[in-house]
């Protein structure tokens, strides 16, 4: 396994679990707001092969409200 694959998978899993927790009744949304940016920033580069060769995440249509 590539060196970052395990870290990437674990961080994605934690983000998913945090999203599920945020939807629960009685969830501490202050906790979610404090933790989610930290998890997102700690996400390592995606493992090789996850995206097709030449994939550019910045290439594509403009979102509504963005300049093209």
């Amino acid at each position: 396994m590539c060196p970052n694959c395990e870290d990437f998978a674990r961080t994605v899993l934690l983000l998913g679990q945090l999203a599920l927790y945020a939807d629960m009744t009685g969830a501490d949304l202050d906790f979610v707001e404090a933790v989610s940016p930290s998890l997102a920033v700690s996400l390592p580069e995606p493992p090789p092969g996850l995206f097709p060769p030449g994939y550019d995440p910045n290439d594509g249509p403009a979102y509504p409200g963005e300049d093209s």
Side-chain angles (χ1 to χ4, degrees), residues 5-63:
C5 290
E6 187 177 337
D7 290 341
F8 183 81
R10 183 183 307 117
T11 305
V12 169
L13 178 67
L14 287 170
L15 283 167
Q17 290 175 335
L18 187 62
L20 290 173
Y21 171 72
D23 285 338
M24 291 176 53
T25 302
D28 182 353
L29 297 180
D30 289 334
F31 171 78
V32 173
E33 279 188 39
V35 172
S36 56
S38 300
L39 276 176
V41 166
S42 72
L43 195 62
E45 287 292 318
L50 188 65
F51 296 110
Y55 174 78
D56 182 2
N58 297 316
D59 188 27
Y63 287 97

